[in-house]
Amino acid sequence: MTERVIALVDAGRHQPLPPPVPQVAGPARDRLGRVLRDLRISVTDRCNFRCVYCMPKEVFGKDYPYLAHDQLLSFEEIARLAQVFVDQGIEKIRLTGGEPLLRRNIEHLVEMLAAIKLPDGRSVELTLTTNGSLLAKKARALRDAGLHRVTVSLDALDDPTFMAMNDADFPVAKVLAGIAAADAAGLAPVKINMVVKRGVNEHSILPMARRFKGSGHVLRFIEFMDVGATNGWRMDDVIPSSEIIRLIGAQLPLEPVDRNYPGEVAERWRYRDGSGEIGVISSVTQAFCRSCTRARISTEGMLYTCLFATSGYDFRALLRGGKSDAEIRAAIAAVWAARADRYSEIRTAQTARERKIEMSYIGG
Ligand code: SAM
Ligand code: SF4
Ligand code: SF4
């Protein structure tokens, strides 16, 4: 183990719950007036990739202290917590990780979550983000279990570049097969996330745009972020979304499209010839904190109100400590009412170096 290794158990340090707040009618609002709508749940801190921007090999080596099974929330605990969040206003749930398809019987969890109804009787919107490596095998079962859509991460179309990014010798063809299987199973439209890192995969921007133009899938370019404490982020490595739009638009003319709903993170563009759309997620150059409606549950049941948090609230202790649903709901309301996060708006070279929670643990 090198001295740069940061044990997740320590990195996931928690803080006391804020004082209770009176229950209000309507959605919970934080200190900046933002409602609580989306919940991301990390179901494992493990992954079969070692993406250089997320779980670099020199840190996440074979001695890395991953969480033990009894430290993870069980499916029953996740489903119970999800139901309480839905009672508190959540309408969308995204399963993530780590690599969520590595969690054994994940389709069973999907089935449990798909049964959750919103107060008005609609089903909760249920999606999952995956690296695609196991998707060809699992897409049908996930769909049958009630999953609505998937987002697949893919950073390049040629093996040398993709393998340099995933650092696990994983070939592009298998991810493309996963995307095709998801499409065939009805998990469409598939969103495809490409993290762009200057000097590493920028030459893949146009080939990726061409490959997915007209496919019905939506390719989204993500600015490389300073998540966690281990990816060696520098502003010079970020390719601003505006540059990506200029680059693609010069070859394949684009026009802007309105967001689907307030709080949507991707800015949408469509091809002028009507052959589909792309998105850009400008977390670094155009922060969207003002409309951020997301809460995150880590693999071991800590609640984080920002991707760049330095500490969370221990909801596993509440679940395992005999608290009632009403008490857990009140705790969620108190945490959300105290929330004032807007990290991307105030990011500096200094904050980028601060010790934050790893994305593989908190969930992307
Ligand atoms: N393993 C799954 C996957 O890769 O899709 C789910 C978890 S992953 C942490 C979720 C998303 O975060 C992926 O689309 C990934 O590309 C993105 N991501 C990870 N590290 C990032 C970084 N430093 N900057 C921007 N996006 C990042
Ligand atoms: Fe694994 Fe996803 Fe992180 Fe890549 S981005 S290392 S696939 S968790
Ligand atoms: Fe939301 Fe935090 Fe990201 Fe801002 S930095 S958009 S508050 S997760």
Side-chain angles (χ1 to χ4, degrees), residues 126-171:
L126 193 54
T127 61
L128 177 145
T129 303
T130 171
N131 63 24
S133 58
L134 299 169
L135 195 54
K137 221 184 310 178
K138 295 212 169 222
R140 171 59 60 189
L142 289 167
R143 177 67 183 160
D144 290 347
L147 190 71
H148 293 127
R149 279 178 292 100
V150 281
T151 298
V152 181
S153 304
L154 179 61
D155 297 328
L157 280 177
D158 65 284
D159 276 337
T161 309
F162 186 48
M163 289 176 182
M165 299 279 290
N166 68 51
D167 212 6
D169 286 335
F170 201 86

Side-chain angles (χ1 to χ4, degrees), residues 47 49 51 53-55 98 131:
C47 188
F49 284 15
C51 300
Y53 50 74
C54 179
M55 295 180 75
N131 63 24

